[in-house]
Amino acid sequence: MANKQIDMRKTKLIYKLYTSGTSKRGISQQLGISRVTVRKYIEFFRRYRFT
């Protein structure tokens, strides 16, 4: 499904897992979302310097 939004809980988990050192592939497998989606959210976090 193109452009389907993910819930805020998964967004927070992406950030938490990524900052703890989990790979993008590992995150996508754990949360059941595509690697491209994970990559886009991580790029968004970096661009706006979320902590």
Side-chain angles (χ1 to χ4, degrees), residues 5-17 27 30-31 33 41 45:
Q5 291 183 338
I6 63 173
D7 61 0
M8 192 62 169
R9 183 173 34 114
K10 284 189 179 182
T11 306
K12 289 178 182 180
L13 278 173
I14 290 171
Y15 187 71
K16 183 178 179 182
L17 290 169
I27 295 169
Q30 285 182 17
L31 300 180
I33 54 179
Y41 276 95
F45 296 144

Side-chain angles (χ1 to χ4, degrees), residues 24-47:
K24 294 172 190 168
R25 179 174 289 176
I27 295 169
S28 69
Q29 289 175 345
Q30 285 182 17
L31 300 180
I33 54 179
S34 73
R35 289 182 311 189
V36 174
T37 302
V38 171
R39 188 181 72 222
K40 285 181 181 181
Y41 276 95
I42 290 171
E43 288 174 3
F44 177 80
F45 296 144
R46 284 184 182 164
R47 184 179 312 129

